[in-house]
Amino acid sequence: MSLKKQEYLSNVLSTHRMSHVEELVNKFKAKRDEVKTTLQDKYGSDIYSPFDSGSFKKHTAINIKFDLDIVVPFKRNSFDTLEKMFDDLYEYLEAEFGDVAEVRKQKVSIGLLFKTDDDGDDVNLDVVPGREFNQDQYSEDRKLNLHLRNNTIFTSDSTYIQTNIQEQIEHINGKSDERMVIRLLKIWKHYNNEDFKSFLIELITIKAFKKDDISGNLWEKLEGVMNYIKENVIKEDFKLKDPGNSNNNVMDTLDNAERTNLSNRMETLIDRINNNAQNIKSYFPLNDDFEDEESSSEGYGIKIGSGIASTPPSTERFG
Amino acid sequence: MKIKNHTRKVELNIDENLLEDIASIGIKHYPNEFGGFLIGEYSNNFKNLNITDFILPNSYKGSPYLFERSALGLEEKFENIFKEKGNYYIGEWHTHPSSSTKFSKTDLDAMINIANCETVTIKNPILLILSVSKTTLNHYTFYIYDDKKLTPYE
């Protein structure tokens, strides 16, 4: 029997829904809230309210890989340098959580990897410190300078990056079609061990919808985005502006070889699936852990994740 | 008010004032049938549904035994409700003037169409039937759709 690609992809999204791991998500949220509270107690008036970011906040999370980020906006005069801000936060988190978690410095964040609990669950959070760009202006402009450690993110050798994380979250708000494609590409990335940044996938998908005619069913939309990636990432002048700071070009995170590799990957993927629809299963597998739950006879069912609106058929007759 | 459907082991909540608002609009159209769309939000585990609002159709035809509604022109409204509040179009309501709240074959066929519609992202739409007289709401019944069947909440 021929495989209906759009129906299959809907199932892929469904089996990767976050609602399947609700208990684990609740553990993440509880830890996140605990960390936020301790940060507010420690830094008091030196910070603005910490807020949530990451794939969970953006509704692009998949249940095999997701993160909850906490952004901590420090006031301009709280530390002399971004490095001191970063180190102070690291030392505090190490002192506070070091006995229950591995605390480690990452590129722009501090990772907290809590010890595996009795259920075998691992909870990890990223805490991202940022310092307001202009004194007392954060509430209005939301601009932050992040400390950049061992800069391999951008091709420049800067030790900081200016951005607006709220703007990055806003950028994806309400884009339900884009979110579905982003989640599918993240599923491909995860199962195929691709190391392209999720942020790059997010931005390029949104740009594809904006610049190209991406329409049709779920497969056609995914194919449209993959075609856009294939054709554009190899162009020298192709840019992906960080919505938080238009001076940051996220394409700079890839060198020429990586750009060509990404383009080739997309081409192979499209060709192989169009040659034989069954190939879609190897690139976009179902999450076996939750496959059976899709036919559950309990609860309210959702067809394709909780990512898109429900619109009634145009005409119906009742008696 | 909280009611349960034991078939799918789910709960449904609706504020009595919201139900009264729906009923009063239905009564105004007596002796003809009238209806509209239901809006709601699901709990994280998809075991509870909270009906939060309703939307009236821009165009419709009503007679004592028939109600036909159109959803044309409302697409953006449903999109915005989802984008802004995370609420879904979750089903339909209509009146049975001077009649029972039992669903008809026409009602069941409509719900089958709704569940199979590509733009409807929920699998178990709700049907609310209100029995009304000229001045009052007599009874009402909420049904949940599942696999070509409608079963009531209690």
Side-chain angles (χ1 to χ4, degrees), chain A residues 94 97-103 112-115:
Chain A
E94 174 63 39
F97 296 100
D99 55 340
V100 292
E102 181 192 336
V103 183
L112 292 175
L113 278 78
F114 289 90
K115 289 176 183 167

Side-chain angles (χ1 to χ4, degrees), chain B residues 4 9-11 23-24 32 35 43 46 52 54 73 99-100 103 105 119 121 131-132 134 136-138 141 144:
Chain B
K4 290 184 179 179
K9 297 186 172 58
V10 288
E11 289 184 350
S24 68
N32 292 331
S43 61
F46 288 87
T52 54
F54 63 93
S99 182
S100 78
F103 64 85
K105 174 75 168 59
T119 62
T121 59
S131 163
V132 295
K134 194 174 181 181
T136 55
L137 168 65
N138 301 324
T141 304
I144 184 169

Side-chain angles (χ1 to χ4, degrees), chain B residues 14-77:
Chain B
I14 184 166
D15 188 288
E16 287 182 19
N17 291 329
L18 181 62
L19 191 60
E20 279 175 22
D21 289 347
I22 292 171
S24 68
I25 292 169
I27 289 166
K28 278 182 194 162
H29 289 80
Y30 185 91
N32 292 331
E33 289 196 9
F34 187 68
F37 310 96
L38 294 171
I39 303 299
E41 59 185 348
Y42 297 103
S43 61
N44 286 341
N45 61 5
F46 288 87
K47 293 285 177 73
N48 298 283
L49 169 62
N50 187 27
I51 297 184
T52 54
D53 206 351
F54 63 93
I55 291 176
L56 299 180
N58 286 337
S59 59
Y60 63 91
K61 290 178 198 165
S63 76
Y65 304 105
L66 193 73
F67 171 67
E68 184 178 303
R69 72 16 173 208
S70 168
L72 293 177
L74 295 171
E75 298 86 350
E76 204 175 323
K77 208 165 190 172

Side-chain angles (χ1 to χ4, degrees), chain A residues 80-137:
Chain A
D80 295 341
T81 67
L82 293 172
E83 189 172 11
K84 282 182 184 169
M85 167 191 76
F86 190 93
D87 288 343
D88 192 86
L89 180 62
Y90 168 77
E91 281 160 23
Y92 173 67
L93 290 172
E94 174 63 39
E96 195 70 19
F97 296 100
D99 55 340
V100 292
E102 181 192 336
V103 183
R104 64 183 186 194
K105 291 182 179 180
Q106 301 170 158
K107 281 172 190 162
V108 293
S109 63
I110 294 153
L112 292 175
L113 278 78
F114 289 90
K115 289 176 183 167
T116 306
D117 69 12
D118 293 343
D119 302 325
D121 290 331
D122 297 310
V123 173
N124 55 77
L125 301 171
D126 288 343
V127 184
V128 186
R131 194 176 66 180
E132 70 179 337
F133 187 63
N134 298 306
Q135 178 87 38
D136 301 328
Q137 285 292 301

